[in-house]
Amino acid sequence: MNPRSPRRRAALCAVGTAVLVAVTTATAPAAPAAATGGELTAEEFRPQLVTVDTPTREDKRLLQTLGLDLTEHAGHDYVEVVLHSPADVTALLAAGLSYAVRIPDLLVREAENSRVNAAYAAATTTSPLPSGRDAYRTLADYDADMAALERDHPDLVELITLPHRSLDGREIHGVEIGADVRGPDRGLPTFVMLGVHHAREWPSGEHAMEFAVDLVENYGNDPRITDLVNRSRVVVVPVVNVDGFELSRTDGGLVDLREVDQGGTGTILGTPGNAYKRKNCRLVDGQDTPDGTCRAGSLTSPGGYGTGVDLNRNYGGYWGGPGASDLFADPTYRGAAAFSEPETQNIRELVSGRHVTTLITNHTFSNLVLRPGGVAPDQVPPSEGIPLGDPYDEAALKALGDAMAAQNGYTSQHAWELYDTTGSTEDWSYNATGGFGYTFEIGPDEFHPPFPQVIDEYLGAGEHAGRGNREAYLLALENAVNPATHSVLTGKAPAGATLRLRKTVATPTWTGSIEDTLDTAMTVGPDGRFTWHVNPSTRPVVKDRQVETVSSEPVAQETFTGTTLPLQSTDSEFTVDRDADLFEIVLDWPTPDDMDLEVYRKNADGSLEQVGGSGNFVGEKERVLLQDPAQGTYVLRAINFASVAPTWTLTASLFDAESSSVPGLVENWTLTCEVAGQVRQTVPVVVDRGQQLRVDLKACGRR
Ligand code: 0X9
Ligand code: ZN
């Protein structure tokens, strides 16, 4: 089976227990062949959540090429993955990646959660959530709750239907919240909150919906919320992927039956359950299959996960690049083209038709606040030919990300720091419009945990009690209305005139570009004055860029040689005694077999903290790269796993990088002023983030 050393062997637990097992240590013995899934049929196999060891970035990239269902729960040396079939197990083992099973049978876990949820709901009349709900909503519940919000607060809430129906023929709804929501658009900034791009991530819709209820119920009572709602329009679409969610939410129930009926009947076993479906209901690219056929179509793949497009890889921003698959059956399948799916088209049109100054798209899980970019800054999209670098607004994006993470206790970081993704929601929305965009990964360890955890994550628990995502979202809404983070146009124009801002631009995909048309409008108030909160005219993606190039000559270098017998290791010490941009450690030896390298930093008390490691395949040499290494003493550990030539060479080098700047472009909005359907004036408008610009529209008032 596994070609690797014992450290690399998969630590597999028996399938079928309902306990959440602790991650077993890497030295656990190999399990019998049956437990690898290799002898189970696809129907017998139960989906598992496993932790795959990825000590190096190369390991992460290798893992990404396997077409497995990666979660966002990942750290610098691991990624959690859902295994759906015996073939998934085989792929992981063949790649030589070691893993430990964390939830051995997700379907049993599903049944267990259902029991906890039923017990909680039975014991609870009203939860502390804004809505008082004590259980996950179904799709029908979402629609009913949104309709009720509108019915009970008609001046404050408008139910909206997004322009495109889902592939299975469903309408997709949201709510728009604002003072005098049915009145004309007076140019307030829009805050967008999205949920359930990924079918199984139920809390992502719950939090979006609860935030909508929170704003509406507290409007007029809570001065902070009243002020925020008065100064914005808030659009909440709690379930973007309605088809996938409906399947995940309702097919999970079958799991209960199967567990009760151990061994199962043909029918039930033939329905593996869609509780862990991720993608949408695309069954064949380019074809809209008949409405209502998604459920049947999904049965062709285990857990329904093989069919569909990953909506969070289908947006246009760097679409087609790393961290997204071009294979239909893969969990991160990007779709036939950028925005090929009705669900992403809906969000594209929503964001292109307003000034969305801040957007949050909710996912589960991993307790993260992720900001752009989706791809590491050293990567070079062929469409641009230069490294991506950090997003133009990195400082401001980080400040808000950190502030939000301080409320919910999550980790604030770039999306790419876990693994690369392209075609995600904010990869597009930020690049195309300049509006701030974040992905929240809600909850510590499950796609849809027991419901009480959803409540804790929303309201905050423990040291975050009273804050949680509720407070983080409020900070995001405060950012959305803060003119310092967007742009403002002011002036005078005929009362009732329609002002439009338009821009047609090319948004880079990975290898080419797509055309985006941003087309927005507002109505001048009866006093003939306007204040329009808008996104900056120049998109971040065409702004000037700092590019780091590592110099070819090291500024310091030391070479060590040594002899280490099999299954032993040797430590060498190297001191980083200056500021450097890059620390490279390379381990080389003469035979094509197996040594590994681990790098530690020595703490003041002499203890060692691992800061890097490299365990490549047999025959490959080992290399660790550390960016901006802290000064101090490092221990470089050469480990002989299976090398017949015990003599090795270690080279430690420090490099500086040169920063150069690539000039940017200036873009303008085209502003038109219309009276009675006639364009009376057209002006180009160039406005930067944080700027307030007075626009002279006198000509619009003249006949
Ligand atoms: O992979 C994803 O789409 C997200 N993780 S999840 O487990 N919910 O599927 C995270 C995407 C992170 N990347 C960007 N937002 N760019
Ligand atoms: Zn997700």
Side-chain angles (χ1 to χ4, degrees):
M1 42 175 271
N2 190 340
R4 293 282 319 177
S5 55
R7 188 179 58 90
R8 290 257 156 179
R9 226 175 263 149
L12 296 162
C13 299
V15 193
T17 49
V19 280
L20 197 90
V21 289
V23 175
T24 37
T25 59
T27 48
T36 66
E39 290 173 7
L40 296 176
T41 65
E43 285 72 30
E44 288 162 344
F45 189 86
R46 306 295 193 101
Q48 309 178 334
L49 189 65
V50 304
T51 304
V52 179
D53 299 323
T54 53
T56 68
R57 205 162 166 83
E58 281 67 45
D59 288 331
K60 282 205 172 110
R61 293 215 166 109
L62 170 68
L63 178 61
Q64 280 189 294
T65 64
L66 303 180
L68 298 177
D69 189 358
L70 272 52
T71 77
E72 194 67 5
H73 198 211
H76 83 275
D77 60 355
Y78 72 93
V79 179
E80 286 196 356
V81 176
V82 182
L83 300 179
H84 291 267
S85 67
D88 285 357
V89 177
T90 309
L92 207 50
L93 295 179
L97 291 166
S98 64
Y99 69 93
V101 176
R102 207 167 63 69
I103 302 183
D105 186 332
L106 280 169
L107 303 189
V108 170
R109 176 70 184 153
E110 192 70 14
E112 197 183 54
N113 284 357
S114 300
R115 272 194 299 272
V116 174
N117 286 340
Y120 177 76
T124 312
T125 349
T126 318
S127 82
L129 285 173
S131 70
R133 278 195 66 93
D134 55 19
Y136 282 110
R137 291 172 170 91
T138 60
L139 189 57
D141 291 335
Y142 278 106
D143 281 340
D145 285 0
M146 288 192 279
L149 269 191
E150 180 186 60
R151 191 191 55 227
D152 297 343
H153 307 269
D155 294 337
L156 199 59
V157 180
E158 185 170 8
L159 186 65
I160 56 175
T161 301
L162 298 183
H164 304 273
R165 280 181 180 251
S166 71
L167 291 165
D168 226 16
R170 293 186 174 84
E171 284 190 347
I172 300 167
H173 296 130
V175 280
E176 177 164 356
I177 300 164
D180 188 24
V181 71
R182 274 156 230 279
D185 188 328
R186 298 283 188 226
L188 294 174
T190 300
F191 174 67
V192 165
M193 161 126 357
L194 308 172
V196 196
H197 274 77
H198 292 139
R200 61 196 173 194
E201 299 174 4
W202 307 350
S204 68
E206 293 294 335
H207 280 203
M209 193 64 219
E210 289 302 328
F211 189 59
V213 176
D214 217 336
L215 295 180
V216 173
E217 296 297 337
N218 283 306
Y219 183 78
N221 305 321
D222 176 328
R224 180 183 180 202
I225 287 182
T226 309
D227 176 60
L228 284 170
V229 170
N230 282 338
R231 293 166 61 197
S232 65
R233 289 291 176 98
V234 177
V235 177
V236 178
V237 182
V239 183
V240 171
N241 179 4
V242 284
D243 295 344
F245 176 67
E246 174 69 3
L247 275 188
S248 170
R249 182 69 183 80
T250 57
D251 255 15
L254 291 179
V255 171
D256 274 347
L257 290 176
R258 187 161 61 167
E259 199 211 11
V260 172
D261 181 18
Q262 275 292 351
T265 67
T267 335
I268 296 168
L269 276 182
T271 309
N274 278 286
Y276 289 91
K277 180 177 175 63
R278 170 181 170 93
K279 301 188 285 178
N280 76 347
C281 274
R282 177 71 70 189
L283 297 177
V284 181
D285 272 331
Q287 276 181 33
D288 185 0
T289 30
D291 292 351
T293 54
C294 182
R295 188 178 298 265
S298 297
L299 296 181
T300 55
S301 80
Y305 109 99
T307 53
V309 170
D310 181 353
L311 298 178
N312 210 29
R313 300 293 182 281
N314 188 244
Y315 287 83
Y318 297 118
W319 180 88
S325 174
D326 59 355
L327 296 175
F328 184 85
D330 279 358
T332 59
Y333 178 53
R334 65 196 189 196
F339 293 115
S340 56
E341 305 309 296
E343 296 88 351
T344 53
Q345 286 165 24
N346 278 331
I347 305 307
R348 180 189 204 185
E349 288 166 36
L350 174 71
V351 171
S352 301
R354 303 161 162 268
H355 292 279
V356 178
T357 51
T358 306
L359 172 150
I360 289 182
T361 173
N362 290 305
H363 287 252
T364 65
F365 58 87
S366 209
N367 284 0
L368 296 170
V369 172
L370 299 174
R371 65 181 185 275
V375 169
D378 62 336
Q379 299 248 10
V380 181
S383 58
E384 300 188 348
I386 52 170
L388 277 165
D390 269 340
Y392 187 78
D393 300 294
E394 162 62 7
L397 286 164
K398 179 176 188 311
L400 177 59
D402 290 356
M404 293 191 293
Q407 308 310 315
N408 53 23
Y410 295 2
T411 301
S412 162
Q413 60 185 36
H414 288 110
W416 62 262
E417 283 176 76
L418 295 167
Y419 49 69
D420 293 335
T421 56
T422 46
S424 80
T425 309
E426 77 277 3
D427 281 338
W428 172 76
S429 67
Y430 170 68
N431 281 343
T433 73
F436 285 21
Y438 295 86
T439 293
F440 274 40
E441 294 281 354
I442 301 169
D445 49 20
E446 273 183 274
F447 290 114
H448 42 263
F451 196 75
Q453 199 188 96
V454 177
I455 302 174
D456 284 351
E457 293 293 324
Y458 185 76
L459 295 172
E463 61 177 301
H464 298 98
R467 293 185 285 157
N469 277 342
R470 176 182 201 267
E471 185 59 33
Y473 295 161
L474 286 170
L475 291 187
L477 179 51
E478 273 164 2
N479 185 76
V481 302
N482 180 359
T485 70
H486 53 264
S487 314
V488 180
L489 306 180
T490 60
K492 287 190 209 159
T498 301
L499 305 186
R500 292 186 200 281
L501 277 180
R502 283 209 193 86
K503 194 163 57 152
T504 295
V505 290
T507 302
T509 57
W510 193 250
T511 55
S513 67
I514 52 166
E515 192 177 274
D516 270 312
T517 296
L518 310 181
D519 190 349
T520 61
M522 71 160 290
T523 310
V524 179
D527 63 353
R529 289 175 189 279
F530 66 90
T531 301
W532 197 354
H533 294 260
V534 303
N535 276 319
S537 58
T538 304
R539 291 164 302 153
V541 77
V542 297
K543 287 271 199 183
D544 54 284
R545 198 177 288 179
Q546 288 299 114
V547 177
E548 301 272 318
T549 323
V550 176
S551 59
S552 51
E553 287 301 311
V555 288
Q557 191 169 60
E558 196 172 338
T559 303
F560 308 84
T561 51
T563 301
T564 306
L565 294 173
L567 297 177
Q568 294 190 358
S569 64
T570 305
D571 288 353
S572 310
E573 284 195 5
F574 177 82
T575 303
V576 175
D577 56 359
R578 65 188 82 201
D579 273 345
D581 295 306
L582 195 70
F583 181 18
E584 182 196 49
I585 309 105
V586 179
L587 177 66
D588 199 1
W589 65 100
T591 47
D593 44 27
D594 196 7
M595 293 194 75
D596 276 1
L597 168 65
E598 284 169 6
V599 180
Y600 297 84
R601 209 174 107 75
K602 224 182 203 175
N603 293 321
D605 63 0
S607 62
L608 296 183
E609 183 188 334
Q610 186 164 3
V611 288
S614 166
N616 280 328
F617 289 121
V618 172
E620 285 173 27
K621 303 311 172 197
E622 307 295 346
R623 179 174 182 242
V624 169
L625 283 178
L626 301 174
Q627 267 189 338
D628 300 324
Q631 294 195 17
T633 304
Y634 288 76
V635 172
L636 319 176
R637 181 167 295 168
I639 306 163
N640 184 345
F641 270 108
S643 177
V644 293
T647 304
W648 46 260
T649 309
L650 243 178
T651 311
S653 318
L654 293 174
F655 292 92
D656 276 343
E658 251 178 51
S659 182
S660 54
S661 137
V662 178
L665 301 178
V666 174
E667 290 180 337
N668 66 279
W669 290 109
T670 297
L671 174 64
T672 57
C673 178
E674 273 170 38
V675 177
Q678 298 271 310
V679 175
R680 294 227 189 131
Q681 193 178 353
T682 302
V683 280
V685 170
V686 174
V687 63
D688 228 333
R689 200 182 293 284
Q691 251 188 352
Q692 178 162 336
L693 190 77
R694 220 182 132 71
V695 187
D696 179 356
L697 291 180
K698 272 195 218 74
C700 189
R702 287 189 214 116
R703 283 267 158 198

